[in-house]
Amino acid sequence: MTTYKDSVYITWQKYRNDNPAIPNKFEAWAFGDSAEMANELGNLVMEGTKTGTSSLFYWYDQGEEVMPSVGSHVVILDGEEEAMGIIKLVDVTIMPFNEVPETFAYLEGEGDRSLAYWRKVHTAFFENESVELGLEFNEDVLVVCEKFEVVYK
């Protein structure tokens, strides 16, 4: 069992108290690869600007992570691993990096929300992840695109 800070369990229990019909299953994670990025992107989620995220399919294909699924709940963590709120996944799509559409880039809520900006920052992010994994990043690599809604603040 994963151990989280108390704020994660408290936030989840408060949400479940208001929604007793939902399954008692959740994940907890932060966006990005640094405390600063977790805070910045988590704040964009909580204010409603960011309603999408993407990750390399490799993490799921190799069994490192559980594939996200529609209806799943995630407690979003800040840079100190404290709970910020809860999201619910409403769509999960797998596609090549170079086929991610402008509409999804906008949902990611970062920068000027354009596809050009999305490709620039995600190329750098995914290249760094690929180096860590001993892989070569290219624009045909599969990414998992998740759309979500904030269900608890």
Side-chain angles (χ1 to χ4, degrees), residues 25-60:
K25 183 179 177 187
F26 70 93
E27 293 182 62
W29 42 257
F31 290 97
D33 59 3
S34 68
E36 180 181 85
M37 192 179 288
N39 290 332
E40 177 186 338
L41 299 180
N43 286 329
L44 288 174
V45 169
M46 292 302 116
E47 68 188 29
T49 303
K50 182 175 180 61
T51 59
T53 193
S54 54
S55 54
L56 291 174
F57 177 71
Y58 177 86
W59 292 114
Y60 312 105

Side-chain angles (χ1 to χ4, degrees), residues 68-147:
S69 60
V70 172
S72 297
H73 290 83
V74 179
V75 177
I76 299 302
L77 306 177
D78 67 13
E80 290 71 46
E81 298 185 351
E82 297 287 348
M84 298 181 78
I86 300 172
I87 61 172
K88 179 179 175 182
L89 302 184
V90 297
D91 186 65
V92 179
T93 306
I94 300 168
M95 67 184 78
F97 178 88
N98 59 6
E99 292 181 21
V100 171
E102 180 92 33
T103 53
F104 187 78
Y106 183 83
L107 295 179
E108 285 248 16
E110 300 169 36
D112 65 5
R113 301 178 85 171
S114 68
L115 184 58
Y117 181 87
W118 184 90
R119 285 189 174 155
K120 177 182 172 190
V121 297
H122 284 81
T123 294
F125 186 82
F126 292 151
E127 281 178 344
N128 286 339
E129 279 193 333
S130 295
V131 167
E132 290 175 28
L133 295 167
L135 303 171
E136 185 175 327
F137 174 80
N138 65 65
E139 292 205 353
D140 294 321
V141 69
L142 293 177
V143 294
V144 178
C145 298
E146 303 168 52
K147 296 177 188 175

